């Protein structure tokens, strides 16, 4: 058996809030749901099994996830399509799907341009964290990499070994809420070159004052989170997709986003709240809104959904998960 076979077979990721995600897409009109963070296709499989009126266009920037998900979704035939791309390129992936599916029997005009749903389950998958060679974790030593798509972009090693003190401090504070960012940045610069996750974890632990080391888990957790977010441009990716994703939904279509830390959740909550706000200043009785201030979505439910105690006990990753769902307004066709 080849290493590639092993990697796909051993790709295990338990989908967080799976039943809640499936329920969120139950009322949407028939059509396509984009799963922008396909991973091991856990959510996608559950959606396709539960909802015969839906098909899934799955995207992932990780080539291994694409390979695994393609195999796992093969049993759904034409109802599933997988593309290796980032989720800020949903519109391009939809065009690709339309071109791929256009045949003499299915003219392009019959393939809907709007989406019934969009799902984002942010962050990293368990295999990305667990495999030492991906360089995401201090628990499994490996080369400092942290790229979800290892074929492109700056690795964590590039950042750690090339960034100046100011840039390191900015990354550690902004993406890791690291109170000791200045000390950690200085220690990193003194210890260069740093080539492995284990070496970085040791450098960070030694830089954090002893009193602060005794609380809040491994002292390198915040540094690793910050570097991962920087390397994968995670918050900019999220802002970019939220910019126009809601407009891609048909009336009654829904967007569901699962976040795992407060920085992400704030971005999603703000975007959904703005889209749901009623700022219409059209004169009363003037018919449909012309000023652009009318709400374009409603939040279902209004607040974030969190995991049950049972789910958290079975899957600790679920502890910090927050699911927000927005529904495009208007008459469902
Ligand atoms: C938490 S996992 C998703 C797991 C999946 N829901 C499941 O049930 O198996 C997140 C996945 O999103 C991918 N990902 C993260 N950011 C992405 C982006 N900007 N574009 C595309 N894929 C992304 C990661 O590579 C990873 O495979």
């Amino acid at each position: 058996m080849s290493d590639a076979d092993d990697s796909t077979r051993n790709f295990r990721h338990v989908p967080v809030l799976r039943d809640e995600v499936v329920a969120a897409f139950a009322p949407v009109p028939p059509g396509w749901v984009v799963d922008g963070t396909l991973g091991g296709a856990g959510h996608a499989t559950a959606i396709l099994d539960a909802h015969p009126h839906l098909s899934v266009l799955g995207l992932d920037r990780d080539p291994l996830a694409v390979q695994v998900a393609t195999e796992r979704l093969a049993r759904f035939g034409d109802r599933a399509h997988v593309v290796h791309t980032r989720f800020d390129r949903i519109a391009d992936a939809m065009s690709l799907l339309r071109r791929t599916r256009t045949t003499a029997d299915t003219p392009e005009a019959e393939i809907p341009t709007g989406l019934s749903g969009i799902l984002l389950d942010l962050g990293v998958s368990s295999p990305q964290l667990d495999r030492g060679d991906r360089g995401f974790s201090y628990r499994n030593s490996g080369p400092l990499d942290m790229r979800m798509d290892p074929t492109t972009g700056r690795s964590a090693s590039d950042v750690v070994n090339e960034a100046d003190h100011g840039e390191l401090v900015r990354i550690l504070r902004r993406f890791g809420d690291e109170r000791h960012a200045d000390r950690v940045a200085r220690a990193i610069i003194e210890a260069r070159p740093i080539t492995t996750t284990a070496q970085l974890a040791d450098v960070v632990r030694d830089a954090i004052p002893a009193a602060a080391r005794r609380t809040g888990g491994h002292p390198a957790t915040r540094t690793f989170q910050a570097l991962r977010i920087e390397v994968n441009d995670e918050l900019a990716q999220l802002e970019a997709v939220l910019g126009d994703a809601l407009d891609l939904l048909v009336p009654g279509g829904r967007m569901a986003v699962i976040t795992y830390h407060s920085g992400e959740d704030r971005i999603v909550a703000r975007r959904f709240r703005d889209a749901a706000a009623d700022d219409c200043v059209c004169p009363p009785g003037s018919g449909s809104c012309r000023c652009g201030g009318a709400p374009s979505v409603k939040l279902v439910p209004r607040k974030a959904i969190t995991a049950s105690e049972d789910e958290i006990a079975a899957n600790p990753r679920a502890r910090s998960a927050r699911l927000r769902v927005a529904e495009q307004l208007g008459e469902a066709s």
Side-chain angles (χ1 to χ4, degrees):
M1 191 189 303
S2 71
D3 287 352
D5 291 337
D6 267 352
S7 301
T8 51
R9 183 163 311 171
N10 296 333
F11 195 109
R12 290 204 185 85
H13 177 93
V14 180
V16 169
L17 292 168
R18 187 196 57 191
D19 295 348
E20 291 79 355
V21 166
V22 168
F25 290 116
V28 302
W32 285 85
V33 171
V34 165
D35 181 345
T37 51
L38 191 57
H43 285 115
T45 303
I47 291 169
L48 288 164
D49 275 333
H51 302 313
H53 68 300
L54 296 176
S55 301
V56 169
L57 170 58
L59 320 178
D60 206 293
R61 70 201 302 195
D62 183 337
L64 179 61
V66 165
Q67 189 189 341
V68 170
T70 302
E71 286 172 18
R72 291 184 183 170
L73 295 177
R75 70 183 169 93
F76 295 102
D78 273 0
R79 292 178 60 214
H81 191 87
V82 179
V83 180
H84 176 220
T85 191
R86 297 189 325 231
F87 58 55
D88 63 335
R89 297 183 177 155
I90 291 180
D92 293 345
M94 285 169 66
S95 305
L96 186 68
L97 175 71
R98 283 170 68 78
R99 282 202 301 280
T100 313
R101 293 294 165 99
T102 303
T103 63
D105 294 339
T106 317
E108 190 171 355
E110 285 180 21
I111 304 174
T113 45
L115 290 171
S116 300
I118 298 173
L119 169 65
L120 298 178
D121 174 22
L122 299 170
V124 279
S125 65
S126 303
Q128 284 169 335
L129 271 184
D130 296 345
R131 287 181 48 150
D133 62 334
R134 300 299 301 265
F136 279 96
S137 171
Y138 48 80
R139 288 204 184 89
N140 308 295
S141 188
L144 258 183
D145 193 323
M146 299 196 194
R147 286 172 298 175
M148 292 180 191
D149 182 351
T151 65
T152 180
R154 254 189 349 162
S155 69
S157 171
D158 295 334
V159 176
V160 161
N161 290 301
E162 290 167 14
D164 64 21
H165 177 266
E167 188 183 2
L168 284 172
V169 169
R170 176 190 66 80
I171 293 167
L172 294 169
R173 286 210 180 115
R174 176 141 186 253
F175 301 142
D177 288 328
E178 176 55 73
R179 280 191 298 135
H180 306 288
D182 176 54
R183 295 172 72 125
V184 173
R186 273 188 281 128
I188 286 175
I189 288 169
E190 269 167 37
R192 285 171 179 175
I194 299 176
T195 55
T196 66
T197 54
Q199 191 189 351
L200 177 64
D202 289 348
V203 169
V204 175
R205 188 198 51 228
D206 293 347
I208 304 268
R213 267 187 245 156
R214 284 191 280 275
T215 56
H218 194 293
T221 306
R222 293 180 296 276
T223 295
F224 274 68
Q225 173 182 300
L227 286 169
R228 193 200 85 206
I229 292 174
E230 167 71 16
V231 163
N232 295 289
D233 208 15
E234 290 181 32
L235 300 190
Q237 278 284 295
L238 183 57
E239 300 265 16
V241 69
L242 288 173
D244 53 13
L246 293 172
D247 299 335
L248 298 174
L249 294 171
V250 297
R254 290 180 165 196
M255 179 164 188
V257 186
I258 305 175
T259 61
Y260 293 91
H261 62 83
S262 57
E264 287 174 344
D265 187 55
R266 268 196 301 273
I267 292 173
V268 178
R270 193 184 57 226
R271 172 71 182 112
F272 280 9
R273 217 177 28 241
D274 287 352
D278 189 352
D279 298 323
C280 179
V281 292
C282 296
S286 62
S288 59
C289 170
R290 287 160 193 272
C291 73
S296 58
V297 302
K298 66 176 177 187
L299 310 183
V300 280
R302 287 206 66 75
K303 294 198 161 171
I305 298 166
T306 52
S308 65
E309 287 305 319
D310 283 353
E311 179 173 356
I312 294 168
N315 181 10
R317 287 188 67 251
R319 180 176 299 282
S320 53
R322 298 173 79 76
L323 167 64
R324 294 186 186 270
V325 184
E327 179 178 308
Q328 183 64 240
L329 293 174
E331 294 288 307
S333 48

